PDB file of all heavy atoms in Angstrom:
ATOM      1  N   PRO A 243       5.813  12.859  11.314  1.00 97.00           N
ATOM      2  CA  PRO A 243       4.566  12.212  10.845  1.00 97.00           C
ATOM      3  C   PRO A 243       4.835  11.042   9.911  1.00 97.00           C
ATOM      4  O   PRO A 243       5.759  11.072   9.110  1.00 97.00           O
ATOM      5  CB  PRO A 243       3.863  13.346  10.098  1.00 97.00           C
ATOM      6  CG  PRO A 243       4.998  14.173   9.551  1.00 97.00           C
ATOM      7  CD  PRO A 243       6.085  14.125  10.588  1.00 97.00           C
ATOM      8  N   TYR A 244       4.023  10.010  10.023  1.00 98.00           N
ATOM      9  CA  TYR A 244       4.098   8.830   9.168  1.00 98.00           C
ATOM     10  C   TYR A 244       2.766   8.095   9.274  1.00 98.00           C
ATOM     11  O   TYR A 244       1.962   8.329  10.182  1.00 98.00           O
ATOM     12  CB  TYR A 244       5.231   7.891   9.600  1.00 98.00           C
ATOM     13  CG  TYR A 244       5.029   7.331  11.001  1.00 98.00           C
ATOM     14  CD1 TYR A 244       4.221   6.210  11.218  1.00 98.00           C
ATOM     15  CD2 TYR A 244       5.593   7.956  12.107  1.00 98.00           C
ATOM     16  CE1 TYR A 244       4.000   5.733  12.507  1.00 98.00           C
ATOM     17  CE2 TYR A 244       5.380   7.487  13.388  1.00 98.00           C
ATOM     18  CZ  TYR A 244       4.577   6.370  13.584  1.00 98.00           C
ATOM     19  OH  TYR A 244       4.337   5.908  14.850  1.00 98.00           O
ATOM     20  N   LEU A 245       2.520   7.207   8.319  1.00 98.00           N
ATOM     21  CA  LEU A 245       1.498   6.182   8.430  1.00 98.00           C
ATOM     22  C   LEU A 245       2.213   4.851   8.264  1.00 98.00           C
ATOM     23  O   LEU A 245       3.044   4.704   7.360  1.00 98.00           O
ATOM     24  CB  LEU A 245       0.421   6.330   7.353  1.00 98.00           C
ATOM     25  CG  LEU A 245      -0.517   7.537   7.444  1.00 98.00           C
ATOM     26  CD1 LEU A 245      -1.396   7.598   6.186  1.00 98.00           C
ATOM     27  CD2 LEU A 245      -1.393   7.440   8.678  1.00 98.00           C
ATOM     28  N   ALA A 246       1.927   3.891   9.124  1.00 98.00           N
ATOM     29  CA  ALA A 246       2.578   2.576   9.048  1.00 98.00           C
ATOM     30  C   ALA A 246       1.497   1.494   9.088  1.00 98.00           C
ATOM     31  O   ALA A 246       0.639   1.521   9.976  1.00 98.00           O
ATOM     32  CB  ALA A 246       3.567   2.385  10.192  1.00 98.00           C
ATOM     33  N   TYR A 247       1.567   0.571   8.138  1.00 98.00           N
ATOM     34  CA  TYR A 247       0.550  -0.475   8.039  1.00 98.00           C
ATOM     35  C   TYR A 247       1.199  -1.850   8.165  1.00 98.00           C
ATOM     36  O   TYR A 247       2.093  -2.198   7.384  1.00 98.00           O
ATOM     37  CB  TYR A 247      -0.197  -0.383   6.710  1.00 98.00           C
ATOM     38  CG  TYR A 247      -1.380  -1.336   6.622  1.00 98.00           C
ATOM     39  CD1 TYR A 247      -2.397  -1.283   7.563  1.00 98.00           C
ATOM     40  CD2 TYR A 247      -1.462  -2.281   5.612  1.00 98.00           C
ATOM     41  CE1 TYR A 247      -3.488  -2.144   7.499  1.00 98.00           C
ATOM     42  CE2 TYR A 247      -2.557  -3.143   5.532  1.00 98.00           C
ATOM     43  CZ  TYR A 247      -3.567  -3.073   6.483  1.00 98.00           C
ATOM     44  OH  TYR A 247      -4.643  -3.927   6.420  1.00 98.00           O
ATOM     45  N   VAL A 248       0.734  -2.609   9.146  1.00 98.00           N
ATOM     46  CA  VAL A 248       1.184  -3.988   9.307  1.00 98.00           C
ATOM     47  C   VAL A 248       0.354  -4.840   8.346  1.00 98.00           C
ATOM     48  O   VAL A 248      -0.794  -5.176   8.634  1.00 98.00           O
ATOM     49  CB  VAL A 248       1.016  -4.477  10.758  1.00 98.00           C
ATOM     50  CG1 VAL A 248       1.582  -5.891  10.896  1.00 98.00           C
ATOM     51  CG2 VAL A 248       1.704  -3.529  11.737  1.00 98.00           C
ATOM     52  N   ALA A 249       0.935  -5.167   7.187  1.00 98.00           N
ATOM     53  CA  ALA A 249       0.201  -5.948   6.199  1.00 98.00           C
ATOM     54  C   ALA A 249       0.033  -7.387   6.667  1.00 98.00           C
ATOM     55  O   ALA A 249      -1.021  -8.000   6.487  1.00 98.00           O
ATOM     56  CB  ALA A 249       0.913  -5.896   4.853  1.00 98.00           C
ATOM     57  N   LYS A 250       1.089  -7.941   7.259  1.00 98.00           N
ATOM     58  CA  LYS A 250       1.003  -9.294   7.821  1.00 98.00           C
ATOM     59  C   LYS A 250       2.096  -9.449   8.861  1.00 98.00           C
ATOM     60  O   LYS A 250       3.103  -8.745   8.848  1.00 98.00           O
ATOM     61  CB  LYS A 250       1.140 -10.360   6.735  1.00 98.00           C
ATOM     62  CG  LYS A 250       2.464 -10.344   5.982  1.00 98.00           C
ATOM     63  CD  LYS A 250       2.459 -11.389   4.875  1.00 98.00           C
ATOM     64  CE  LYS A 250       3.704 -11.283   4.005  1.00 98.00           C
ATOM     65  NZ  LYS A 250       3.650 -12.227   2.852  1.00 98.00           N
ATOM     66  N   GLY A 251       1.867 -10.374   9.785  1.00 98.00           N
ATOM     67  CA  GLY A 251       2.823 -10.621  10.857  1.00 98.00           C
ATOM     68  C   GLY A 251       2.396  -9.967  12.151  1.00 98.00           C
ATOM     69  O   GLY A 251       1.270  -9.472  12.290  1.00 98.00           O
ATOM     70  N   GLU A 252       3.311  -9.947  13.106  1.00 98.00           N
ATOM     71  CA  GLU A 252       3.022  -9.378  14.419  1.00 98.00           C
ATOM     72  C   GLU A 252       4.247  -8.632  14.930  1.00 98.00           C
ATOM     73  O   GLU A 252       5.395  -8.996  14.622  1.00 98.00           O
ATOM     74  CB  GLU A 252       2.639 -10.472  15.425  1.00 98.00           C
ATOM     75  CG  GLU A 252       1.358 -11.203  15.081  1.00 98.00           C
ATOM     76  CD  GLU A 252       1.065 -12.342  16.052  1.00 98.00           C
ATOM     77  OE1 GLU A 252       1.878 -12.567  16.976  1.00 98.00           O
ATOM     78  OE2 GLU A 252       0.027 -13.004  15.875  1.00 98.00           O
ATOM     79  N   GLY A 253       3.999  -7.576  15.708  1.00 98.00           N
ATOM     80  CA  GLY A 253       5.101  -6.826  16.278  1.00 98.00           C
ATOM     81  C   GLY A 253       4.646  -5.975  17.436  1.00 98.00           C
ATOM     82  O   GLY A 253       3.470  -5.981  17.825  1.00 98.00           O
ATOM     83  N   GLN A 254       5.588  -5.222  17.986  1.00 97.00           N
ATOM     84  CA  GLN A 254       5.300  -4.304  19.080  1.00 97.00           C
ATOM     85  C   GLN A 254       5.874  -2.936  18.753  1.00 97.00           C
ATOM     86  O   GLN A 254       6.975  -2.821  18.208  1.00 97.00           O
ATOM     87  CB  GLN A 254       5.900  -4.808  20.394  1.00 97.00           C
ATOM     88  CG  GLN A 254       5.214  -6.030  20.975  1.00 97.00           C
ATOM     89  CD  GLN A 254       5.731  -6.356  22.365  1.00 97.00           C
ATOM     90  OE1 GLN A 254       6.882  -6.099  22.685  1.00 97.00           O
ATOM     91  NE2 GLN A 254       4.863  -6.925  23.191  1.00 97.00           N
TER      92      GLN A 254
END
Side-chain angles (χ1 to χ4, degrees):
Y244 63 83
L245 291 173
Y247 187 57
V248 184
K250 61 183 173 185
E252 296 176 359
Q254 289 188 329

